[in-house]
Amino acid sequence: MRKLLSIIVLFAVACCVQVRAGDDMDNVMLWCLYDPEITEIGGSSTVSIAGLTGRGEADGLKANAVRVTARSGDAFHWLQVVNEGGSGGEWGQSLVIPDREGGYCAGPAYANLVGLDLGDANLVFTIEIGNYTGGNWYTLAVSESWNVAQLKEGDHIRSAQMGQYGWECWAGGSYSVPEPSSGLLIVIGAGLLALRRRRRAA
């Protein structure tokens, strides 16, 4: 009787574990970067990642990393990423570019979605190309923003099991140099105003 009871208990625990595992199925996104042409501010020209140069507080900086971010309203998440082939690899903040062959490509790689509310209609993802030095991130270019429904439709989101084949990596669509932030615009405006006053005083 005790053996039968033990078997029933073990079976019940196994069922609970399976249900728990099923609760967390959609928690990895497969993404990649394939050296896109990046539209400059104003849309009059394009530039490659190799020719991309930072402006403002990132003045003169070159692209050396790529990351995936998630936003919903004011909430911002910098996702943990790892190369697709690295089931034993370490999750990190970003992937290094250029790659070992000198190409500005990254992945296919996984982005960890655990902890995000994938039912949030306002949740959007972007791939950011930037400069990551000394713990500071400077965004130089951003991809299109895609929501969860778009990513699932494109078969880019699945469970966290590594080594899955037959699904597509999300390459971010089109890329562009972001407009200066409002804070930077205020600084530029204040500088121009000071210059105008100085000219009047002279």
Side-chain angles (χ1 to χ4, degrees), residues 21 28 42 47-48 64 92 102 107 115 119 124-125 132 143 150 185 196-197:
V28 168
V47 63
S48 65
N64 65 7
V124 293
F125 299 87
Y132 188 41
S143 74
Q150 290 172 302
L185 289 173
R196 185 178 175 189
R197 285 179 179 167

Side-chain angles (χ1 to χ4, degrees), residues 70-141:
R71 286 181 174 83
S72 178
D74 293 332
F76 170 84
H77 303 276
W78 183 339
L79 304 184
Q80 294 288 300
V81 296
V82 68
N83 278 318
E84 180 192 20
S87 57
E90 293 183 11
W91 293 89
Q93 297 264 303
S94 59
L95 297 184
V96 174
I97 52 175
D99 57 22
R100 292 176 185 174
E101 287 76 39
Y104 285 88
C105 299
Y110 294 101
N112 191 349
L113 308 182
V114 172
L116 296 178
D117 178 9
L118 298 185
D120 180 0
N122 296 315
L123 183 65
V124 293
F125 299 87
T126 57
I127 299 173
E128 295 187 1
I129 301 165
N131 181 279
Y132 188 41
T133 306
N136 296 314
W137 176 271
Y138 301 95
T139 301
L140 305 183

